[in-house]
Amino acid sequence: MNRVYNFSAGPSCLPEEVLKECAAEMLDCNGTGQSVMEMSHRSSAFKPIIENTERLVRRLMNVPDNYKILFLQGGASTQFAMIPLNLGIKSGKAAYIKTGVWAKKAEAEAKKLGIQVTEIASSEDKNFTYIPKIEKVTGDYDYVHITFNNTIMGTHYEYIPDTGSIPLVADISSCILSEPLDVSKFGLLYAGAQKNLAPAGVTLVIIREDLITETPRAGTPTMLTYKTHADEGSMFNTPPCYTIYVMGKVLTWVESKGGAEGMKKLNYEKADLLYNYLDNSTYYHATAEKGSRSIMNIPFLTKETDAAKAKEINDKFVKGAVAAGMVNLAGHRLVGGMRASIYNAMPVDGVKALIKYMDKFAKENS
């Protein structure tokens, strides 16, 4: 069977070169006679793997020396709790900008843990189709939280909010290394791996050292304390070794393509192709407003306004796309329509194939 173009929002497609390398090393990695899946995380065989992955993160993201890199488990959703537990310790107050489903969930988790949350901006008034502009954040907040790219709604920050001395925290799960990002502007960055980095299983956390506290909020479990993992080099318990190994392979691939700058060039080429087609179409339209559009996740609708007919045409579109070798194009239920997630590993040819199919479908169904 031929490879399909996988437009899933996550887990997403991985570079073919990486998959082939991993397959070739499945039974014998680096001459050890074993798979990384079988290695002890404390062995001399695994140590260079995790060290190499950390080095690549630092190099590709220009991570300053006063930041720790952690490889954790539990996905970005666990960070929704770890952040308030570890950072919300001075005033017990935090500011959140609500720009979609995951931003809402992060905010709700902080409230559940007793943080006094101030929602300083929201785009819920327009179903999260834009990113609100916040020039300056002031106040006695312990941190400010944003979701940098909104997978479901297809929106993205085109600026970094100025929070002054207040630590800025960002979920960058669905946009990490899609373009350069100034790490020094943030107190903490976190990303689930299953979009741009690796299969699901590891969460990358980049945290400024002064934010790693010995005394998080009362009752914080040992495993939810950043210091626990920082002190042990992410090996307090068994880390997701194989996923860290794959991440290292993906990061090497990113570096071979020109790093974050190379990814930016590729990703804007793909996104411009699709957005230009949508903006000039009489049959489709993008849902996110210009000035807030994601280059990773692009939801779109047809011109059909009747709900029942729209569902019928959407189902037909998705079914036909599968037959044409393109999978996971169904839109999220909160947006409807279709969604093309075009992460780093999606080739330009995949976007061109999608546009060709969209054009054919529009002509046949107008």
Side-chain angles (χ1 to χ4, degrees):
M1 181 179 179
N2 293 327
R3 290 273 295 170
V4 297
Y5 290 120
N6 179 10
F7 291 93
S8 171
S12 64
C13 57
L14 289 166
E16 280 195 34
E17 298 98 310
V18 169
L19 293 173
K20 288 174 181 176
E21 281 185 33
C22 293
E25 295 177 355
M26 180 56 72
L27 298 180
D28 179 7
C29 178
N30 297 330
T32 62
Q34 59 184 315
S35 171
V36 178
M37 288 185 179
E38 305 168 290
M39 286 180 184
S40 165
H41 61 296
R42 302 195 188 281
S43 67
S44 60
F46 183 69
K47 184 179 179 183
I49 291 173
I50 191 170
E51 288 178 347
N52 178 61
T53 303
E54 178 174 340
R55 266 195 309 271
L56 285 164
V57 172
R58 285 195 180 277
R59 189 158 70 230
L60 290 169
M61 297 187 68
N62 293 314
V63 179
D65 291 340
N66 63 323
Y67 284 72
K68 290 282 189 182
I69 292 172
L70 307 177
F71 301 103
L72 306 181
Q73 299 180 66
S77 296
T78 297
Q79 294 307 306
F80 297 167
M82 285 187 77
I83 289 157
L85 287 172
N86 287 267
L87 271 60
I89 55 175
K90 293 179 181 177
S91 68
K93 301 175 184 177
Y96 280 71
I97 300 178
K98 188 163 69 175
T99 52
V101 171
W102 299 110
K104 285 176 70 174
K105 289 185 176 184
E107 183 180 315
E109 195 75 359
K111 290 178 180 177
K112 189 186 298 183
L113 293 167
I115 297 295
Q116 186 178 327
V117 171
T118 300
E119 194 176 284
I120 57 174
S122 171
S123 54
E124 194 167 16
D125 60 324
K126 293 186 178 179
N127 196 32
F128 303 116
T129 56
Y130 71 100
I131 297 294
K133 187 73 174 177
I134 299 292
E135 295 294 344
K136 179 78 175 176
V137 182
T138 59
D140 61 340
Y141 303 117
D142 290 332
Y143 63 92
V144 177
H145 181 282
I146 63 173
T147 305
F148 211 73
N149 188 83
N150 296 278
T151 320
I152 292 172
M153 306 305 180
T155 58
H156 175 73
Y157 280 80
E158 293 192 356
Y159 74 102
I160 298 175
D162 180 2
T163 60
S165 61
I166 309 169
L168 178 60
V169 174
D171 179 350
I172 56 171
S173 295
S174 53
C175 63
I176 187 169
L177 279 172
S178 60
E179 58 184 332
L181 185 66
D182 187 350
V183 174
S184 69
K185 300 286 188 184
F186 299 85
L188 187 151
L189 293 164
Y190 65 99
Q194 66 274 17
K195 320 283 190 177
N196 266 345
L197 293 177
V202 65
T203 304
L204 179 67
V205 172
I206 303 172
I207 179 171
R208 208 171 63 215
E209 289 177 349
D210 64 290
L211 298 177
I212 300 173
T213 178
E214 297 219 24
T215 52
R217 290 176 73 84
T220 299
T222 300
M223 282 296 292
L224 296 186
T225 302
Y226 288 125
K227 187 169 172 43
T228 297
H229 304 284
D231 285 353
E232 297 296 329
S234 300
M235 292 199 195
F236 176 78
N237 68 329
T238 307
C241 297
Y242 193 78
T243 318
I244 293 168
Y245 155 80
V246 179
M247 185 190 294
K249 298 280 190 189
V250 172
L251 294 173
T252 298
W253 175 84
V254 169
E255 191 166 50
S256 75
K257 300 297 181 183
E261 284 289 352
M263 289 296 100
K264 177 182 178 180
K265 182 179 178 182
L266 172 66
N267 290 324
Y268 273 92
E269 180 184 355
K270 293 183 294 185
D272 286 347
L273 278 171
L274 189 47
Y275 280 124
N276 287 339
Y277 176 77
L278 290 168
D279 290 342
N280 288 288
S281 173
T282 57
Y283 188 74
Y284 307 99
H285 66 273
T287 60
E289 294 184 10
K290 291 181 179 180
S292 296
R293 287 176 168 179
S294 170
I295 60 170
M296 295 280 94
N297 312 98
I298 304 180
F300 58 93
L301 305 174
T302 68
K303 66 179 181 180
E304 183 56 67
T305 56
D306 179 84
K309 290 180 180 178
K311 184 182 184 309
E312 182 181 337
I313 203 78
N314 295 344
D315 291 345
K316 184 178 180 182
F317 181 100
V318 171
K319 185 178 179 180
V322 171
M326 291 167 282
V327 300
N328 295 314
L329 278 161
H332 192 276
R333 66 185 182 278
L334 296 177
V335 180
M338 281 65 67
R339 174 177 53 177
S341 293
I342 52 175
Y343 296 119
N344 286 354
M346 173 60 67
V348 175
D349 284 348
V351 177
K352 289 180 177 177
L354 174 59
I355 291 171
K356 183 178 179 181
Y357 169 72
M358 291 171 68
D359 205 44
K360 181 175 180 287
F361 185 89
K363 289 172 182 173
E364 292 174 351
N365 292 276
S366 292

